[in-house]
Amino acid sequence: MNGSQKNTGDGMDIADLRDRILNQERRALARAITLVESAREDHRAQAAELLDALRGAGKQALRIGLSGTPGVGKSTFIESFGMMLTAQGLRVAVLAVDPSSARSGGSILGDKTRMERLSRDKNAFIRPSPSQTHLGGVARRTREAVALCEAAGFDVVLIETVGVGQSETVVAEMSDLFLLLLAPAGGDELQGVKRGIMEMADIILVNKADGDLKSTAIRTCADYSGALRLLRKRPQDPEGFPKAMTVSALEENGLSQAWEEMVTLTDWRKDNGHWAGRRVQQAQYWFHEELRQALLARLETKDARDVVEALGADVAAGEIAPSAAAEKALMTLGIASTKA
Amino acid sequence: MNGSQKNTGDGMDIADLRDRILNQERRALARAITLVESAREDHRAQAAELLDALRGAGKQALRIGLSGTPGVGKSTFIESFGMMLTAQGLRVAVLAVDPSSARSGGSILGDKTRMERLSRDKNAFIRPSPSQTHLGGVARRTREAVALCEAAGFDVVLIETVGVGQSETVVAEMSDLFLLLLAPAGGDELQGVKRGIMEMADIILVNKADGDLKSTAIRTCADYSGALRLLRKRPQDPEGFPKAMTVSALEENGLSQAWEEMVTLTDWRKDNGHWAGRRVQQAQYWFHEELRQALLARLETKDARDVVEALGADVAAGEIAPSAAAEKALMTLGIASTKA
């Protein structure tokens, strides 16, 4: 099927790819995401060219971050929620940030079998997480994939994560809304959800409000509602937000109510300048993150590794102090040290 | 008293300072530490010169890291423990790593009134924490102060911390031995001591094993002994280590036993190459840390700030993507980006 196409390589026609993405061709989108995920230098250059050519094109999708640990029913939720949105005529893209995917040998979305219906939906696009261990790299590639989905005219971009390490922060910093999906908890403890994660959430969804777990889900939801009320009021929230709700992804209950709340919150934030403000803040955040990472990447080049290894041996032998060796390394690499 | 002396400044005679430190003059040591704590560029250069002139001089002290939260009796312990060591003819220096000292407006050691006896002891030297918010800066200055204390012939350098944030790691990475000082806990819970901290400890000391708290201290100690047995065996430990012991800093009980254990552990590690190996590892660790920090400090210069601010505005205006802006910033600053 790819016989007549060139792979992402030297001969790729970026202008053509751009047009096909703007024409909402899913295969072109998939190929473009493969391009931005590539670590090859020529691919990085082409990706930059493509992203630049697409700047300002397409639409600003609603970017929804979704975090939930394994077992809370994340895939089922995304499938049910996504199907409900596409049934309303909305186009939905699903991306994943999974820093552990390299370790576990596959993406959390696997081969899409866990979202069989949604993956067959013409108005949906599901992309597994790039297999990379480095969260910084995953973050940039995912942000670029989001930009591509927006260029391809998607209305909603769902960015999911299992919430390993810092991945919630990464996802929250690239989302307009951040959802926390939880399972009903026995007792009234708050499932060890870290305060920092709670504070990121715009809406907490207690899933599995069905069958035997329904009353537990309702009680859990009440617990979280109480906990959310104790948090400091954030300027970007209208009255009543952040809030906790019950849903049943399995029985498809509560999903449209959850969506209504998301729309209400989004509209309020747009009307009050918070929506645009958050995107500006996020762009600044990523600029500084990228800057730090690009700077530190300077130490990963061949010449830098050689210099660091040689000086490291001198340090180990006690011939030079660690700080002096650090300054010497940067001097040797032509990065004048400017330590105060 | 300082009238005939120049302050740390242009005219400082580094060779003279060096000689006086090697001559074990405490005032010279204090002055040298002030020099290494200074952020002024000329002071940094002089500090480097001094440290270089002192390299290999003096002796390798036993560096003991000590962590304990407020209320466990850290000052009392250091005073009693320090007095016991000086009574044996050992010279003891006490340094502090306290990242919060800038915030709280003073060092944890305050004006030494909390260790009145030890501070009057001719064989002891107590130095409050430099007031710096940046833990990286505190780390380097403390390591340099340790080197100065060793050059001044101290036998034991105690480096204490309250264990805020990463400060335990900082202290453990510059110590030959790491002690965790704890208070007796009601019940058999392990006081919420983080596993990572437990894994750093060579000896856990449960303080306040006196009066009403004695039996609780013994029980707490047994709990920790049990917990330590569950940890994975470390190659740098002989049989029976890490271990938990009770002490009473107030009644000066258990201190000499604790010291005996430290000597036993140190001797074993020296005999088995672990002591020197750990110092080499630590030097490498600090080399890499210094390298990262020196590199990131490149972003804190005036020219870098200007470039970053201007590009940040472009990012906020949506005129350039965060990653492209980051690459452009490094290019402008003459640090060729080499991102893969």
Side-chain angles (χ1 to χ4, degrees):
Chain A
M1 200 182 283
N2 279 314
S4 63
Q5 292 180 5
K6 281 193 174 127
N7 272 328
T8 51
D10 293 11
M12 185 156 45
D13 187 340
I14 296 297
D16 177 57
L17 192 55
R18 171 187 180 275
D19 292 343
R20 287 165 54 213
I21 289 169
L22 292 176
N23 200 33
Q24 311 196 341
E25 291 179 31
R26 299 205 301 183
R27 199 183 301 160
L29 174 60
R31 204 173 151 200
I33 294 180
T34 301
L35 184 65
V36 301
E37 284 175 359
S38 170
R40 264 178 53 183
E41 212 159 316
D42 55 334
H43 289 175
R44 290 298 313 146
Q46 290 175 328
E49 188 189 337
L50 176 64
L51 289 164
D52 204 53
L54 287 169
R55 185 175 317 291
K59 64 170 71 178
Q60 284 193 314
L62 177 62
R63 304 171 186 169
I64 303 177
L66 174 71
S67 176
T69 46
V72 300
K74 205 152 64 287
S75 298
T76 312
F77 173 80
I78 293 172
E79 172 143 281
S80 299
F81 186 67
M83 294 298 289
M84 181 203 68
L85 295 178
T86 58
Q88 296 184 19
L90 295 168
R91 298 182 67 231
V92 178
V94 181
L95 305 172
V97 170
D98 177 16
S100 68
S101 63
R103 194 161 18 114
S104 62
S107 99
I108 44 172
L109 286 166
D111 49 5
K112 303 184 188 175
T113 50
R114 291 164 65 199
M115 300 182 198
E116 216 178 321
R117 285 187 303 147
L118 191 64
S119 65
R120 283 198 309 264
D121 191 319
K122 283 278 175 287
N123 284 321
F125 175 86
I126 300 180
R127 180 76 180 196
S129 178
S131 43
Q132 287 237 231
T133 37
H134 184 44
L135 194 54
V138 172
R140 187 181 62 204
R141 285 157 180 77
T142 307
R143 282 184 296 116
E144 290 173 349
V146 169
L148 292 171
C149 291
E150 294 195 330
F154 282 90
D155 301 286
V156 172
V157 180
L158 257 171
I159 312 156
E160 69 149 322
T161 184
V162 284
V164 176
Q166 290 297 305
S167 72
E168 274 118 343
T169 305
V170 165
V171 169
E173 284 292 345
M174 57 175 75
S175 304
D176 301 313
L177 292 179
F178 189 70
L179 310 181
L180 190 56
L181 194 69
L182 299 169
D188 56 358
E189 49 154 342
L190 297 185
Q191 295 178 53
V193 173
K194 287 184 226 118
R195 188 186 169 91
I197 309 300
M198 285 260 296
E199 285 173 346
M200 283 180 209
D202 293 307
I203 300 176
I204 287 178
L205 298 172
V206 181
N207 192 23
K208 305 190 181 179
D210 44 49
D212 290 348
L213 285 172
K214 187 160 186 172
S215 60
T216 312
I218 292 169
R219 208 165 51 235
T220 304
C221 181
D223 290 338
Y224 279 101
S225 294
L228 288 174
R229 275 192 295 273
L230 296 178
L231 295 180
R232 191 174 35 193
K233 176 104 173 68
R234 305 179 304 181
Q236 70 269 31
D237 290 326
E239 206 52 57
F241 284 92
K243 69 171 56 181
M245 308 174 69
T246 56
V247 292
S248 164
L250 194 68
E251 298 184 347
E252 303 181 9
N253 274 329
L255 300 176
S256 58
Q257 290 88 330
W259 174 241
E260 274 166 34
E261 296 291 352
M262 293 178 215
V263 170
T264 299
L265 180 57
T266 302
D267 287 348
W268 187 88
R269 285 187 178 165
K270 283 187 174 172
D271 291 345
N272 291 273
H274 294 293
W275 199 81
R278 179 161 169 155
R279 287 218 168 176
V280 166
Q281 270 178 8
Q282 289 177 344
Q284 297 261 21
Y285 172 88
W286 288 114
F287 170 47
H288 284 96
E289 274 300 299
E290 292 281 343
L291 198 50
R292 283 172 54 92
Q293 282 168 27
L295 196 54
L296 291 174
R298 188 70 186 78
L299 295 178
E300 303 302 326
T301 55
K302 174 79 175 71
D303 59 335
R305 280 173 191 274
D306 290 347
V307 167
V308 168
E309 197 184 324
L311 280 165
D314 293 346
V315 167
E319 285 162 17
I320 186 170
S323 344
E327 296 199 21
K328 193 169 170 186
L330 294 191
M331 210 74 86
T332 310
L333 293 169
I335 307 167
S337 172
T338 52
K339 285 204 288 185
Chain B
M1 200 180 284
N2 279 315
S4 64
Q5 292 181 3
K6 281 193 173 128
N7 271 328
T8 51
D10 294 12
M12 185 155 44
D13 187 339
I14 295 298
D16 178 57
L17 192 56
R18 170 186 180 277
D19 291 342
R20 287 166 53 214
I21 289 169
L22 291 177
N23 202 31
Q24 311 197 341
E25 291 179 30
R26 297 203 306 181
R27 199 184 301 160
L29 174 60
R31 203 173 153 201
I33 294 179
T34 301
L35 183 66
V36 301
E37 284 175 0
S38 170
R40 265 177 54 182
E41 212 159 315
D42 54 335
H43 289 174
R44 290 298 313 147
Q46 290 176 327
E49 189 188 335
L50 177 63
L51 290 164
D52 206 52
L54 288 168
R55 184 176 317 290
K59 65 171 69 177
Q60 284 193 314
L62 178 61
R63 305 173 184 167
I64 303 177
L66 174 71
S67 176
T69 47
V72 301
K74 205 151 65 283
S75 299
T76 312
F77 173 80
I78 293 172
E79 173 142 281
S80 300
F81 186 66
M83 294 299 289
M84 181 202 68
L85 294 179
T86 57
Q88 297 185 17
L90 296 169
R91 298 182 68 232
V92 178
V94 181
L95 305 172
V97 170
D98 177 16
S100 69
S101 63
R103 192 159 22 112
S104 63
S107 99
I108 43 172
L109 286 167
D111 48 5
K112 304 183 188 175
T113 51
R114 292 164 65 200
M115 299 183 198
E116 216 177 321
R117 284 187 301 147
L118 191 63
S119 66
R120 283 199 308 264
D121 191 318
K122 283 278 174 288
N123 283 322
F125 175 86
I126 301 180
R127 179 76 180 196
S129 178
S131 44
Q132 286 237 232
T133 37
H134 184 45
L135 193 54
V138 172
R140 188 181 59 205
R141 285 157 180 76
T142 307
R143 281 183 297 117
E144 290 172 350
V146 169
L148 292 171
C149 291
E150 294 195 330
F154 282 90
D155 301 287
V156 173
V157 180
L158 256 172
I159 312 156
E160 69 149 323
T161 184
V162 286
V164 176
Q166 290 297 305
S167 71
E168 273 119 344
T169 306
V170 165
V171 170
E173 285 291 345
M174 56 177 76
S175 304
D176 301 313
L177 291 180
F178 189 70
L179 310 181
L180 190 56
L181 193 69
L182 299 169
D188 57 357
E189 49 154 342
L190 298 185
Q191 296 177 53
V193 173
K194 287 185 226 116
R195 186 187 171 90
I197 308 302
M198 284 259 295
E199 286 172 346
M200 283 180 210
D202 293 307
I203 300 177
I204 288 178
L205 297 172
V206 180
N207 192 21
K208 304 190 182 180
D210 44 49
D212 289 348
L213 285 173
K214 187 160 185 173
S215 61
T216 312
I218 292 169
R219 208 165 51 235
T220 304
C221 181
D223 291 339
Y224 279 102
S225 293
L228 287 174
R229 274 193 294 273
L230 296 177
L231 295 180
R232 192 175 35 193
K233 176 104 175 67
R234 305 178 305 180
Q236 70 269 31
D237 292 327
E239 207 52 56
F241 284 91
K243 68 171 55 180
M245 308 174 69
T246 56
V247 292
S248 164
L250 194 68
E251 299 184 346
E252 304 182 8
N253 273 330
L255 298 176
S256 58
Q257 289 89 332
W259 174 241
E260 273 166 35
E261 295 291 352
M262 291 178 218
V263 171
T264 300
L265 181 56
T266 302
D267 287 347
W268 188 87
R269 285 187 180 166
K270 282 186 174 172
D271 290 345
N272 290 273
H274 294 295
W275 198 81
R278 180 161 169 157
R279 288 219 167 174
V280 167
Q281 269 178 11
Q282 289 177 344
Q284 298 261 22
Y285 172 88
W286 288 114
F287 169 47
H288 285 96
E289 274 301 298
E290 292 281 344
L291 196 51
R292 282 173 54 93
Q293 283 169 25
L295 195 55
L296 291 174
R298 190 68 187 78
L299 295 177
E300 303 304 325
T301 55
K302 174 80 175 71
D303 61 333
R305 281 173 190 274
D306 290 347
V307 167
V308 168
E309 197 183 325
L311 279 166
D314 293 345
V315 167
E319 284 162 17
I320 185 169
S323 345
E327 295 198 22
K328 193 170 169 184
L330 295 191
M331 210 74 86
T332 309
L333 293 170
I335 308 166
S337 171
T338 52
K339 286 203 287 189

